Amino acid sequence: MDKAASGWINGLIGIAIFSGSLPATRVAVMDFDPVFLTVARAAIAGLLGALLLMRFSRARPARGDLLSLIVVALGVVVGFPLLTALALQHITSANSIVFIGLLPLATAIFAVVRGGERPKPAFWVFSLLGTAVVGVYALTQGVQAAATGNLLMLAAIVACGLGYAEGARLSRTLGGWQVISWALVLSLPVMLALTVATLPATFADVGTPAWISLGYVSLFSMLIGFVFWYRGLAQGGIASIGQLQLLQPFMGFALAALLLGEAVTWPMLAAALAVIACVSAARRFAR
């Protein structure tokens, strides 16, 4: 298997894992405070990341890598989880999933700014077209407006796009799982302290779905998903593989249908096929 194909497979696995993040976060914030949820998931993932590094990693990041790791930590360990948890107090999971359609464009922009990539003009055409398809689908499905939640989701997209691009750039030399593990470990002391500081007085009112959701976002969303995602971005190119994120809203809707019994409509399928076509076309012009 060539490097590009491996990048697309790893990227697709990462996106499939990330697709469950917002629905799980929505369930978790029903019983957990969003700040506690953010720091607790980072602390749990950080402890697991530390164990992985102690067991399998021999090399430490260079001093020049520390700033990039801080950017990754601020973007995907703290920024995106916290902003989305706050947003999901104002909007539904379905509403928030729609905003993920903007993430490929944000990632591609930061791929140029931070990753040094130079996609061809046609790439931007298909990237914008795919983003527009997601936006039009959202509008035709009656997405409700909530200014606070929407602004928080937009801020989350910017933070996540930067964290993705910076982490992928660093993965070229440090390795995908090492990048997210070191970013988690770097933030671990602060996250542990904040977890203790925001610890609820009692967990008696926390239901099983919330605990399962906390486990999912800690293990899969914060660690395992990034192992595949950063590897895919490093292998296939940040801008190119980043377009796979256009599929994430539809994967999220599919999970809602599978797990929650929500209907999958023909407009949803048509939009998903259009997005797949845009992703395929953008791939050809990513480099």
Side-chain angles (χ1 to χ4, degrees), residues 23 26 37 45 72 148 203 224 261 278:
R26 174 64 174 171
L37 175 65
V72 173
T148 301
F203 292 105
I224 295 176
C278 290

Side-chain angles (χ1 to χ4, degrees), residues 64-65 67-69 72 110-111 113-117 163-175 179 230 233-234 238:
D65 294 334
L67 180 58
S68 291
L69 286 172
V72 173
F110 283 117
V113 175
R114 294 296 302 160
E117 297 188 3
Y164 280 172
E166 193 70 23
R169 186 183 68 84
L170 196 55
S171 295
R172 296 168 182 167
T173 55
L174 193 59
V179 168
Y230 277 149
L233 290 174
I238 302 170

Side-chain angles (χ1 to χ4, degrees), residues 40-283:
R41 65 189 275 183
I44 294 170
L47 291 171
L48 294 173
L51 291 175
L52 284 175
L53 290 170
M54 286 189 292
R55 177 65 178 85
F56 298 108
S57 181
R58 297 179 181 178
R60 293 187 176 184
R63 182 174 299 179
D65 294 334
L66 290 179
L67 180 58
S68 291
L69 286 172
I70 290 173
V71 171
V72 173
L74 290 175
V76 301
V77 176
V78 180
F80 184 77
L82 177 59
L83 291 167
T84 52
L86 292 172
L88 285 165
Q89 290 189 314
H90 303 278
I91 59 178
T92 67
S93 175
N95 292 154
S96 67
I97 288 172
V98 171
F99 281 88
I100 301 300
L102 299 174
L103 194 48
L105 188 59
T107 304
I109 291 172
F110 283 117
V112 173
V113 175
R114 294 296 302 160
E117 297 188 3
R118 294 293 182 268
K120 297 176 182 178
F123 167 85
W124 297 106
V125 172
F126 287 109
S127 180
L128 288 169
L129 184 59
T131 302
V133 169
V134 175
V136 169
Y137 171 78
L139 292 175
T140 58
Q141 297 305 300
V143 171
Q144 299 176 351
T148 301
N150 291 346
L151 289 174
L152 286 168
M153 279 304 303
L154 286 174
I157 294 304
V158 173
C160 193
L162 175 58
Y164 280 172
E166 193 70 23
R169 186 183 68 84
L170 196 55
S171 295
R172 296 168 182 167
T173 55
L174 193 59
W177 73 267
Q178 292 94 329
V179 168
I180 189 58
S181 294
W182 280 113
L184 288 165
V185 168
L186 192 63
S187 61
L188 184 56
V190 176
M191 294 298 103
L192 280 175
L194 290 176
T195 299
V196 174
T198 59
L199 200 67
T202 176
F203 292 105
D205 296 329
V206 179
T208 300
W211 284 114
I212 294 174
S213 296
L214 174 60
Y216 184 90
V217 297
S218 300
L219 181 59
F220 289 93
S221 302
M222 293 294 291
L223 185 59
I224 295 176
F226 279 103
V227 173
F228 291 100
W229 183 238
Y230 277 149
R231 182 186 299 165
L233 290 174
Q235 291 177 329
I238 302 170
S240 177
I241 301 301
Q243 296 307 296
L244 284 171
Q245 294 168 111
L246 286 170
L247 299 175
Q248 191 169 339
F250 304 101
M251 288 184 176
F253 294 141
L255 286 174
L258 180 64
L259 300 177
L260 304 177
E262 297 181 2
V264 176
T265 64
W266 284 109
M268 183 189 301
L269 292 175
L273 290 174
V275 166
I276 291 172
C278 290
V279 170
S280 178
R283 176 190 178 188

